Amino acid sequence: MATETANPEFVLKSTPPRVPKDQLLRGRLSWDGEELRHKTIIEVIAPAGFGKTSLLGQWRREALNLGALVAWLTLDDRDDVARFTGGLAYSMRVASGRPTFERAVAQLIRQGSSDFEGLTAWLAEVANLGAETVLILDEAQSAPDAVQQSLLYLILNAPPNLRVVLASRKALQLPLSSFLARGLYASVGADRLRFTRQETAEILKARFKDRIDAESCMRLHEKAAGWPLGLQLAMVVIERQPDLNAAIATMDAATGDLERYFLEGLLRDLEPRIVEFLVRISILDALRVDLCAFVTGYEDAPDVLARLRDSLPIFADGLTTDWIRFHPMVREFLAGQLRKRPDAERQALHARAARWFADHGMREAAADQALAAGEDALAYGLISECIYGAALEGDHVRLMYWLERIPPEELERHPRTLLGAAWVLALSERHQEATRLIEKMRGNVAAPVEERFESDLISSAAAYFADRIDEVESILAPWKGHDDSVSPPLKAIYANCTAVAQIYLGNPERARHLIRAAYVGVPAGLHAVRGWAEWGIGFSYLWEGHVQLAQEWLTEPCRRADDAIGRRNGVSAMLASALAMAHWELGDTDAAEDVLLGRLDVLEHVSAPEAIVMGYQVAARLARMKGQDRRALDLLDNLYALGEVRKMPRYRVASLFEQARMHMIQGRARSCLDACERLETMAPDLETNTLLGRLLLLRVGLARGYGAIASGDWEKALAIVEPLHDETEKLRRGREGVEIKFLVALARRHRGLEWKTRLDEAVAVADIFGMRRALNYMQPLVGEWESEEVAGDEPVPERPPVPSRRTAAPSAHATLAKTGGLLTAKEEEILQLLRRNLSNKQIASALSISDETVKWHVKNLFVKFNAGSRRHVVDRALMLGILSDPY
């Protein structure tokens, strides 16, 4: 029969693309995920280059694995209703193995039946199958109007066992609101298709293994902006380089292989006039039709932009908004072409853009363009008008760029400009300049009350950034009660400043009350004010050791700040450092590393002192946990050097304190004592009666205890550490409190005194607060101690423990395991999979992590269980009760 001979066109149109074996499986977009499960109609809408077809291939494979029949059809502009219907029939014949689909439809087509009769027959055959059936239609935007009407008929009359997936470069004009109202419709757009940082890192690690580090993965992700095609191009460019990390750091889309790709792959077939249009608009961060027309002088700019958007994979968004953006790599390439033009030509384009932005009230964008056009005076005037608002919105890194260029007389011309500049400087390493900038305003009794109040707020913020915390209270004391009559943002700032002093006084609950009372009135767009308030509450939880509460509180603000103002923002980085510390204390090292990645340099310049210390501490601990002791010490040395340069003892004390602890844990007695001796030289200069001085002296005292433990002097260790407990109670420092309880129990055990009560208390408090790391970090100290307890009532030798990465003790493990403190969350998952005898590759696939990460975690499990094989790890976990025996 004629229908038994396949039409070659139908064969090609119904053949799904090949899915590479190493293609990233995007778990968050899984076919059976909550977002897509039970949806009848799913639209995937994004420009070219976003991986739509790759995702359809993943869905096809997942649906087949779930037992569904899956038909694939690629549409094109040559389709008519008969060709579309015939393609459907053939694709379903292939998917089901039943020729009746094609026979019934072909007969109706030959008889010249109406457009919809063939579709009706096809739908009836699908219904008769009874099995779940998935129809995937790729390149749906190519279908002519008549075919789209047929498609609508098919969707509206689909039987219950049919699900339809449409992939298109632009939104289809199909009335599907009824499906949306019934919860049967889902849409996946460009934002969802962009790779996340984790997905980018997974792809790069799978391709390049140890040749690429985490920082470079993040840098390349930012350069590609999650654009799948951009990442693929970048990988092709760098894979031949001997040093991938250096290649990424210096990669420029305007040169080399990337430039050749864009020239040959994108621009070669375009009219010269269209290429000229693209080059001219590359001066713009964001594009709008009327803006492009004004800058280029093209009267047909709307048509040109629409055609480019539909045909080229060069735009990051714009399907549902008036504004669109180039992909960063594309814009970088086009800007490189423009840089080859004469200066006068480029400046003329910037001048036109500046005029358009100024006319539309977009002063900051206008200032950028005016500066590029060489119109400095205009640029300074424009930026001065928006500095204050931008300061409260939180774009401090960008404003620092402007403050380095604006003449001082421009800043002093208007009070609000001056206040905005002072805020930016106060909340940075340049806090001393802020104090000088507003000195005249603070002393001017003729100035409006609110301006003088705000100038004192700025002075208190500058004092806080200089670690002169006691001055915060004294500066703001005259304004007590006045904050009720000021604007909500200033009221919130006042609460943030006064709350800091309350935390250091040992009143974290009072601090949270002050912040929350003022926080509710802050407008959503003021990211700096809101971010500081959210960070203050999170920091107060960390101060008293409530790390679980800190993690729960900080997670959403951190995500929101990253989305609104970017990862490379001072407020975002500050929230991230606190969240990283919470993750670390809870044992989630992967999350801690991910949230902190690429932010240390930002923290150094535009973040609070506590945020800087926490960032460096977590980074050093992560490095040590990976066995990178040299990197850990380098980080701590950098923190010490920062303290010397800025004359801030906090950083030097934190650095040496962390080094002393690290050396003690690893049994390096001489190195521990060296760090302690350096701390002792600083102690006389620390002020005992200041809020910060009390905290630093507590850490100096605890470091002395580390030194005594490292040298094996348990009597001295007990005499030093035990009295520190009262100070931790006064300051409400929960983290140090748990650690001191543990060390006191350890010292008392070595002295032959009662110790179990102290240990039980330390374990219980750590369990309540979620401070797993507080005890985990000290775990190597208990190996010898617990082994002796198991052996009998032998005398305890007066010598320091010599921790070994291969030493572990059953009863110590059992004690800590009761709190969930022995293993990290990821290690617990891997332990369960080891029990199922899965290989490293299988575990990596199951947990969506790299093989190297699995190997690293398995190595840690060997150490923690003192095991010699994978089977031994599981047996030890069963013996200790960490894994339950199902039998």
Side-chain angles (χ1 to χ4, degrees):
M1 295 180 66
T3 54
E4 297 299 328
T5 302
N7 184 324
E9 285 191 336
F10 290 164
V11 172
L12 293 177
K13 287 167 67 68
S14 62
T15 301
R18 178 183 178 186
V19 178
K21 291 183 179 180
D22 60 349
Q23 177 181 314
L24 173 70
L25 295 180
R26 309 182 74 176
R28 63 186 177 85
L29 296 175
S30 170
W31 175 253
D32 198 39
E34 193 63 36
E35 181 182 356
L36 303 177
R37 192 181 302 138
H38 309 310
K39 296 296 188 290
T40 299
I41 307 298
I42 301 172
E43 281 193 288
V44 183
I45 307 171
F50 269 90
K52 298 186 298 298
T53 302
S54 296
L55 180 62
L56 297 185
Q58 173 185 321
W59 285 352
R60 176 180 177 273
R61 186 166 57 183
E62 291 175 336
L64 287 171
N65 289 338
L66 292 170
L69 300 176
V70 184
W72 182 289
L73 186 64
T74 302
L75 305 183
D76 60 64
D77 56 6
R78 296 184 297 112
D79 285 331
D80 54 25
V81 175
R83 191 166 183 260
F84 170 63
T85 307
L88 285 177
Y90 181 79
S91 66
M92 201 61 223
R93 167 190 167 181
V94 173
S96 66
R98 297 177 60 175
T100 53
F101 281 93
E102 195 173 11
R103 289 172 184 169
V105 171
Q107 183 177 0
L108 289 170
I109 292 175
R110 285 197 303 271
Q111 293 173 354
S113 302
S114 67
D115 290 347
F116 293 147
E117 285 190 34
L119 289 175
T120 303
W122 186 87
L123 290 169
E125 291 292 336
V126 170
N128 286 333
L129 283 174
E132 179 173 341
T133 303
V134 179
L135 172 62
I136 298 176
L137 300 173
D138 198 9
E139 300 292 344
Q141 82 285 339
S142 302
D145 291 343
V147 174
Q148 293 207 23
Q149 288 301 312
S150 298
L151 179 57
L152 179 60
Y153 176 84
L154 183 147
I155 291 172
L156 293 177
N157 294 278
N161 63 319
L162 177 63
R163 302 173 68 184
V164 180
V165 178
L166 304 172
S168 174
R169 296 186 184 186
K170 60 183 179 181
L172 303 176
Q173 301 305 310
L174 299 176
L176 302 176
S177 57
S178 61
F179 290 92
L180 178 63
R182 289 180 288 159
L184 299 177
Y185 172 86
S187 176
V188 178
D191 285 343
R192 296 283 289 146
L193 287 170
R194 283 192 183 92
F195 289 142
T196 64
R197 285 187 300 105
Q198 292 83 358
E199 288 172 337
T200 297
E202 187 175 343
I203 292 170
L204 293 171
K205 285 290 187 181
R207 178 80 164 268
F208 300 119
K209 304 297 189 293
D210 292 335
R211 293 180 61 202
I212 190 168
D213 60 30
E215 292 279 350
S216 295
C217 289
M218 188 193 70
R219 191 176 292 117
L220 193 53
H221 172 77
E222 291 177 344
K223 188 174 284 288
W227 182 30
L229 178 58
L231 181 63
Q232 185 63 41
L233 291 173
M235 289 167 63
V236 171
V237 169
I238 67 173
E239 67 181 347
R240 297 189 301 273
Q241 304 300 318
D243 187 340
L244 292 184
N245 301 313
I248 291 170
T250 58
M251 189 171 67
D252 185 349
T255 59
D257 290 340
L258 278 174
E259 182 182 39
R260 186 169 65 252
Y261 167 80
F262 287 125
L263 284 172
E264 296 177 0
L266 291 180
L267 304 188
R268 182 178 57 187
D269 297 329
L270 294 178
E271 302 171 31
R273 182 172 179 271
I274 303 301
V275 174
E276 178 65 20
F277 177 82
L278 288 171
V279 171
R280 289 185 185 183
I281 63 175
S282 68
I283 67 170
L284 305 171
D285 285 330
L287 312 173
R288 207 171 81 173
V289 169
D290 49 348
L291 169 60
C292 293
F294 187 85
V295 170
T296 62
Y298 281 41
E299 294 182 359
D300 61 342
D303 292 337
V304 173
L305 202 57
R307 281 189 283 121
L308 288 170
R309 187 172 58 188
D310 292 342
S311 61
L312 291 183
I314 60 176
F315 297 108
D317 46 31
L319 294 178
T320 58
T321 177
D322 291 337
W323 289 93
I324 62 176
R325 293 179 184 273
F326 283 120
H327 285 293
M329 293 170 65
V330 174
R331 186 185 178 209
E332 187 178 332
F333 158 72
L334 292 171
Q337 303 306 300
L338 184 61
R339 284 194 295 271
K340 299 174 183 178
R341 308 283 181 85
D343 290 347
E345 181 181 340
R346 288 187 285 106
Q347 289 178 341
L349 290 171
H350 286 294
R352 292 177 66 84
R355 190 155 64 251
W356 189 94
F357 283 121
D359 290 345
H360 287 76
M362 304 171 69
R363 292 183 178 85
E364 189 174 352
D368 274 336
Q369 296 293 340
L371 195 65
E375 300 177 4
D376 293 358
L378 175 60
Y380 299 151
L382 288 167
I383 198 64
S384 296
E385 295 176 26
C386 57
I387 279 182
Y388 184 83
L392 297 187
E393 289 170 5
D395 199 358
H396 293 171
V397 174
R398 177 166 172 74
L399 288 176
M400 291 293 285
Y401 163 85
W402 279 104
L403 293 180
E404 292 172 358
R405 288 160 176 77
I406 300 177
E409 57 269 20
E410 288 288 337
L411 294 177
E412 297 175 8
R413 187 167 296 177
H414 301 289
R416 284 177 66 81
T417 302
L418 183 68
L419 289 169
W423 271 122
V424 175
L425 293 170
L427 303 178
S428 75
E429 60 183 327
R430 296 169 59 182
H431 42 77
Q432 293 176 340
E433 296 177 48
T435 304
R436 291 195 296 269
L437 199 60
I438 60 169
E439 191 171 350
K440 293 180 182 178
M441 187 177 292
R442 288 190 67 198
N444 183 9
V445 295
V449 173
E450 187 152 316
E451 285 182 9
R452 287 189 285 119
F453 174 60
E454 187 166 2
S455 66
D456 274 353
L457 285 177
I458 294 171
S459 291
S460 68
Y464 171 47
F465 266 65
D467 257 351
R468 300 192 304 271
I469 300 170
D470 296 80
E471 291 183 23
V472 174
E473 274 202 310
S474 61
I475 292 171
L476 297 180
W479 297 101
K480 189 173 183 180
H482 174 75
D483 59 301
D484 290 332
S485 61
V486 300
S487 64
L490 292 185
K491 184 176 181 179
I493 294 170
Y494 176 81
N496 292 343
C497 292
T498 53
V500 168
Q502 290 298 318
I503 292 174
Y504 278 84
L505 283 167
N507 301 320
E509 300 99 332
R510 172 66 176 160
R512 289 192 290 272
H513 172 75
L514 289 170
I515 294 173
R516 284 188 169 120
Y519 172 80
V520 293
V522 180
L526 301 185
H527 303 295
V529 181
R530 291 177 64 87
W532 271 92
E534 290 161 340
W535 180 82
I537 292 175
F539 173 57
S540 73
Y541 284 133
L542 289 174
W543 177 278
E544 55 187 338
H546 289 297
V547 291
Q548 184 71 55
L549 291 175
Q551 183 199 50
E552 292 169 0
W553 170 262
L554 289 164
T555 298
E556 178 57 24
C558 189
R559 183 203 62 77
R560 190 171 61 244
D562 283 356
D563 290 343
I565 51 182
R567 284 177 57 87
R568 303 281 296 170
N569 179 279
V571 175
S572 302
M574 192 169 61
L575 287 164
S577 74
L579 181 58
M581 180 59 79
H583 283 316
W584 168 265
E585 294 288 6
L586 288 167
D588 195 345
T589 52
D590 291 341
E593 183 174 31
D594 179 68
V595 77
L596 189 61
L597 190 63
R599 309 213 208 212
L600 277 185
D601 58 328
V602 178
L603 285 170
E604 281 188 15
H605 298 299
V606 284
S607 288
E610 292 97 342
I612 294 172
V613 168
M614 284 190 288
Y616 268 98
Q617 284 179 326
V618 174
R621 292 171 186 178
L622 287 168
R624 192 193 75 81
M625 188 174 182
K626 293 180 179 180
Q628 300 170 355
D629 284 13
R630 183 62 265 167
R631 171 166 168 74
L633 291 173
D634 284 345
L635 286 165
L636 295 176
D637 286 342
N638 288 345
L639 182 59
Y640 186 91
L642 195 65
E644 287 190 314
V645 170
R646 298 185 184 175
K647 296 179 171 55
M648 294 174 67
R650 177 202 294 268
Y651 299 147
R652 291 186 290 156
V653 170
S655 170
L656 295 173
F657 172 78
E658 195 71 26
Q659 290 183 52
R661 175 193 281 163
M662 182 187 303
H663 292 311
M664 175 198 67
I665 293 300
Q666 296 183 300
R668 297 193 287 255
R670 184 62 260 169
S671 297
C672 177
L673 291 173
D674 287 344
C676 293
E677 288 171 6
R678 292 173 67 191
L679 270 175
E680 289 295 345
T681 63
M682 295 179 58
D685 297 328
L686 299 178
E687 301 179 45
T688 58
N689 296 321
T690 64
L691 296 177
L692 178 61
R694 291 175 63 189
L695 174 64
L696 299 186
L697 286 170
L698 171 63
R699 287 181 171 168
V700 171
L702 192 49
R704 291 183 183 127
Y706 295 157
I709 292 172
S711 60
D713 193 340
W714 295 103
E715 182 175 4
K716 181 180 178 181
L718 187 59
I720 291 172
V721 174
E722 197 161 26
L724 297 177
H725 180 267
D726 291 341
E727 186 64 13
T728 62
E729 291 293 309
K730 292 175 186 176
L731 290 176
R732 298 288 299 278
R733 292 288 294 181
R735 199 342 172 136
E736 287 89 346
V738 167
E739 192 171 302
I740 286 170
K741 288 181 175 68
F742 180 86
L743 293 179
V744 166
L746 179 63
R748 290 178 66 86
R749 176 65 179 87
H750 277 273
R751 295 297 300 150
L753 304 173
E754 195 283 326
W755 56 274
K756 290 187 178 179
T757 303
R758 308 296 180 97
L759 179 62
D760 290 343
E761 184 179 355
V763 171
V765 173
D767 188 25
I768 292 169
F769 290 172
M771 289 185 291
R772 298 171 183 171
R773 287 289 176 195
L775 295 185
N776 271 4
Y777 204 81
M778 297 292 176
Q779 184 212 335
L781 296 177
V782 306
E784 174 187 308
W785 161 28
E786 291 296 328
S787 296
E788 289 161 0
E789 182 199 355
V790 172
D793 296 328
E794 300 176 9
V796 180
E798 292 294 324
R799 59 185 177 86
V802 182
S804 165
R805 296 185 64 82
R806 300 290 300 170
T807 301
S811 60
H813 287 155
T815 301
L816 296 181
K818 293 176 183 176
T819 69
L822 174 61
L823 306 180
T824 66
K826 191 65 69 179
E827 286 168 354
E828 290 173 358
E829 292 177 329
I830 289 175
L831 179 59
Q832 294 289 347
L833 297 175
L834 281 178
R835 182 182 188 174
R836 292 165 54 188
N837 202 30
L838 298 186
S839 67
N840 285 355
K841 188 174 291 293
Q842 290 171 320
I843 294 172
S845 177
L847 299 181
S848 297
I849 57 179
S850 69
D851 289 358
E852 292 303 313
T853 301
V854 174
K855 290 178 184 177
W856 181 65
H857 283 303
V858 170
K859 180 181 178 182
N860 285 343
L861 289 172
F862 274 47
V863 172
K864 291 186 176 183
F865 287 100
N866 194 23
S869 68
R870 296 157 73 92
R871 182 70 256 172
H872 195 186
V873 168
V874 174
D875 290 341
R876 295 275 292 162
L878 287 167
M879 180 186 72
L880 296 171
I882 296 172
L883 285 177
S884 58
D885 191 339
Y887 305 106

